[in-house]
Amino acid sequence: MIPKPVEDSPTRAERLLMQFPKRLWVVLVVVLLGLQFLSIGGYRIAGRLNDARFIQSDNTTWLLVQTEVEALKLELALYRAKDQLLHMEWGEVEADALRQALDIYLSRIARVDSYLQAQAGLDGLRAGENWRNIASAADALSNRLDQPDDFLPENVGPALDLAFAQRGLVRQFVIDGLRYQASRSMDEREALTNLLLRSALVAVALIGFLMLTSWAMLKLSRRMEQLFARANRMSANLEHTLDATLEGVIVSSPDGRIRNVNATALDIFGLSQEAMLAADFFELLEPFREPPRKGGSRGAAHLVRDMRELLKSVRAEEAASGNRRTELEIRRPDGTPMPVEVSLAFARDTDDRPVWFAFIRDISDRWSHEQSLRAARDTAVELAEAKSRFLAVMSHEMRTPLNGLIAALDLLRNSPPLSERQLRFLDVAERSAGLALAQINDVLELARLESGGLLEPDEVFNLRQLIRGISDQVAPLAQLRDNRIILDLPAEEEAWLIGARRGLIRVTMNLVGNALKFTSSGSIRIRASLTPAGTEDEQMRLEVEVADSGIGIEAARLADIFDAFGGMNTGYTRETGGTGLGLGIVSRTISRMGGRVSVDSQPGQGSVFRFEVPLRRAQVPGQSAEQMTDAGARLAQCDILIAEDNETNRLVLREMLLHMGQRVDEAANGQEAVERASMKSYALILMDVSMPVLDGLAATRSIRAGAGPSAGARIVALTAHSQPEEVKQFHSVGLDEVLSKPVTMLALSAMLARHIDTVAPESLALPQSGHQPGPIDPVVFGELEILLPPETLLALLGDLRRETRMLYDVLRMRQDCTNDSYLAAETHRLQGACAMIGARTLSLKLQAVVNALKLSDTPAFAAAAIPALIEWRAVSAALDAFEERFSSRLTDATKLPGVTRH
Amino acid sequence: MVWAVSHRLRQLVLTLFSGVVVAAGPMVAAADEDQLLRICQPDGQEIRFDRDGLENLPQVHFRTSTIWTASVIEFSGPTLKRILDDAGLGASEFRLNALNDYSVVIDYEDLTDEYPIIATRMDGEPFGVRESGPLWLVYPFDRGGFLSSERTYSSSIWQLISIECDP
């Protein structure tokens, strides 16, 4: 980890030296062998020297030489005795002197004999002929001279002859002895010299070797000193670094014993060094509580648990390669929790034992910052949501009384006579009310878009017709401001498309409306073009450009012009009567449709708004009924369950689905739906949200939670009202999609196509008759006409009329609506029925009544009931017309009797 | 030469004044042939020892081999140191003379209460001139070390007859 300085890397010689301590036993053996050799040599030298002492070379020489001397002395004594005898000087004294000389000589012979016998290497001399002759001569001499005094003289002569005779022998013996002695000494000396020389050589070698060893030791010790100093320095530096670092560092062995800690770690855990070293690494890191983390990352408890197990296994190294950084909240030994960030590193120490390094950082501050940030964000989001919810609710609530107001104004207008002046006031009032309603609708639309909930079902439409319609609609306004509208559209047969028709109308309408408002005595050019997009043939890209020659927009405002409330503070808006929400709605609608919008503008030069959206090409529609049949036939046959409490609605849905070739079961409430779903596997369940016994949400939850055969079925909610937050809730309980009532054939078949494995219907087109329905939507009603046998439809309408009249009476009479759940349920049922037959407006108005009833809000109830009653009259009139047309057709076409007319 | 002359002179003196000397000595030997050792004092007086005189002194015994004898022998006799002390010779060096004219100079410092001894007996028996007697200055050679050195052996004079102070 710490790079070694280059100059400190050992040379080859040093590396050899480093090997030295490991080979120390070799040195020891060599030295011991040398010493042994030397001591053996020493012992042998000592032995030799001892031998040399015994050899007594000087003494030997003396001893041998004295033999001849004393032999000669004896000879001399004999001569003298002979001389004395001759001269008659012989006496006792002279005899004694002779005897003494003999004794001395014999003593010498005895000593020499013993000496030769005792000394190694000289026994050869003793065994020699010479010495034996000498010894026998000495015996002969002693025989001659060991005589009494009287016999001595006569023996002197022969003794002298003997002595004279042995003189040469003795001489030769001495010379031989000396030669013997000399050669013996030489051998000995040579051997000794060799021994000494060898010992000396060994000693010299040993000394040399020891000197070399000493030199190596010296070198090594210096090197060691250097290394030790460096290690000390590094260790001290490391320790200072660790002590100075802001992270706590703990070094632990795999069994959790803590080996080392730094000062910061002590601070973090609030322990003394001793307590820390006695603590268990894992217990210290045992998470007190895991902090909430982003999804995906594994928890700290896992980490510690895993770590324990991993550390025991041999694969600790592998574990160390992974990312081992985590945040957790530990409990300090004093009990206080502390959030820390722990990162782990694995290593092996110099003894190859595994060690873990834990780097621990106190992240209390960061944590509290994060938490406060998170809290602030949550609060902000909640506030924003609350605001938007409040706005939606307010708008919604305001729409009901506004509808009442409009209805009342309508009544007022129809109750003449009114003066000119009153009519003018009425105009103002109606215009204001209309403006307010538009505003509210815009706000609701925006809320709906932002909630991201409902996707408008795709419809087949003709682009050319659509834009022409818009152009026709705004023509009066254009005329008023002296503007010309220029259209540049694709040919009608090429302009059949499938997509979000209403969204497209909304967006184009808004852009054209804006262009008209900000332009006077100019021109508005609407250009639309279609280009193929994507690989499939039907994928198209629609580009629409709305260019005006109006006042333009300042560059500074272009940036936020599409913001939701971006237009609200401009003077122009006030001047021109816009809601200011238009462009916000435009941009959100476009983005919901998967497109994008842009603007180019220069003040005084006009503005160009452009948007492009992906759409699919539709075939030019032929006969609508056949088309529908074809489309329905293409869907795979599935089991579908309808859960709907309203009998009429159930009937209509059933007929629609049967028409599309599906198998249908029915349930009258949520409970029943759950039971059926538990017995059979449905591909799709249409679930009304508001039902008695068990509502749609609870039923969905129950089906999803159970292990029944339909637990995985697609479940589509049916509802007449879908606030953004409701949609969220729908999805959260497991609903796949939300279908708005009234359910049209188109919407239903598109939905089926989405959920059942088959191709989507390509041209389920019914001729569209604009977007402004009367009391009864002809599209919806037309479907009913196609679907239901005429008598069924008539019976259905009859029932509806009867029920509505009864309710009408109740509503008209009712002043107070507190806690009337029956009335609410009945009204709700009627509302559903109205939606079914396409009486949209009435359905909406009845919804307001239901809402008021649910809230026991008497003033709201009163305000809602009146428009509903007014609308009922319109619906009733429309139904009369339908019924008339229908019954006449019935009598013409069928012979079925018993059809009652009301 | 000097030694020879002085010896001759001494012989002469001995012969001439023997009676006087014998009468004057503290240990007067009974007969001339019984005298084993003469100690010549610086003043010219002589002390003479016969066998009894020597054997009446404290005896030291030890067994040792020698390079001149075939086996281990027990030697006994008074120590040289005792004899010199009794004689009251105040010199540091002494000359010991043998019958065969061998002589050796001994340093008083080298003498101990254990050795060397003037052996009068070998294995408890007196021994004559033929056996290198009757007096033999011996050391316990077998104790080794200095005692078995060449110098010790050369000091080991046999057929000892007189001691004199070295001038």
Side-chain angles (χ1 to χ4, degrees), chain A residues 56-59 62-63 70 73 100 102-104 106-108 111 114-115 119 146, chain B residues 67-70 99-102 129-132 136 148-150 153-154 158-159:
Chain A
Q56 307 286 354
S57 57
D58 288 352
N59 277 343
W62 175 260
L63 191 68
E70 274 158 17
K73 277 189 182 171
Q100 187 178 317
L102 178 68
D103 284 348
I104 289 169
L106 288 179
S107 162
R108 174 67 57 183
R111 292 284 79 79
S114 291
Y115 183 76
Q119 292 287 306
D146 282 348
Chain B
I67 56 171
W68 308 281
T69 56
L99 192 61
N100 63 0
D101 297 334
Y102 184 67
V129 177
R130 259 181 217 194
E131 287 86 36
S132 309
W136 192 350
S148 62
S149 71
E150 197 154 3
Y153 277 113
S154 62
W158 65 65
Q159 295 167 342

Side-chain angles (χ1 to χ4, degrees), chain B residues 80 96 106 116-119 135-139 155-158 160:
Chain B
L80 178 59
L96 281 72
I106 286 179
I117 62 172
I118 298 176
L135 301 180
W136 192 350
L137 187 74
V138 286
Y139 294 78
S155 300
S156 184
I157 184 168
W158 65 65
L160 175 67

Side-chain angles (χ1 to χ4, degrees), chain A residues 416-489:
Chain A
L418 291 175
S419 68
E420 197 65 19
R421 189 179 149 83
Q422 281 170 326
L423 278 174
R424 216 166 49 241
F425 290 154
L426 195 58
D427 277 347
V428 172
E430 276 179 339
R431 219 168 29 244
S432 298
L435 209 58
L437 192 61
Q439 185 96 37
I440 283 162
N441 285 336
D442 279 357
V443 168
L444 283 173
E445 180 65 22
L446 208 58
R448 196 182 71 85
L449 287 171
E450 288 208 323
S451 74
L454 281 170
L455 256 175
E456 158 182 4
D458 284 354
E459 289 175 72
V460 174
F461 63 93
N462 189 288
L463 179 70
R464 194 180 171 90
Q465 287 171 4
L466 184 141
I467 293 179
R468 274 201 170 282
I470 290 169
S471 162
D472 290 348
Q473 213 176 323
V474 299
L477 183 58
Q479 224 161 16
L480 200 68
R481 298 183 69 94
D482 193 19
N483 285 331
R484 244 169 4 111
I485 297 181
I486 305 159
L487 296 178
D488 178 2
L489 302 173

Side-chain angles (χ1 to χ4, degrees), chain B residues 1 5 39 75 106 129 147 156:
Chain B
M1 269 309 256
V5 170
I39 298 176
F75 292 92
I106 286 179
V129 177
L147 291 174
S156 184

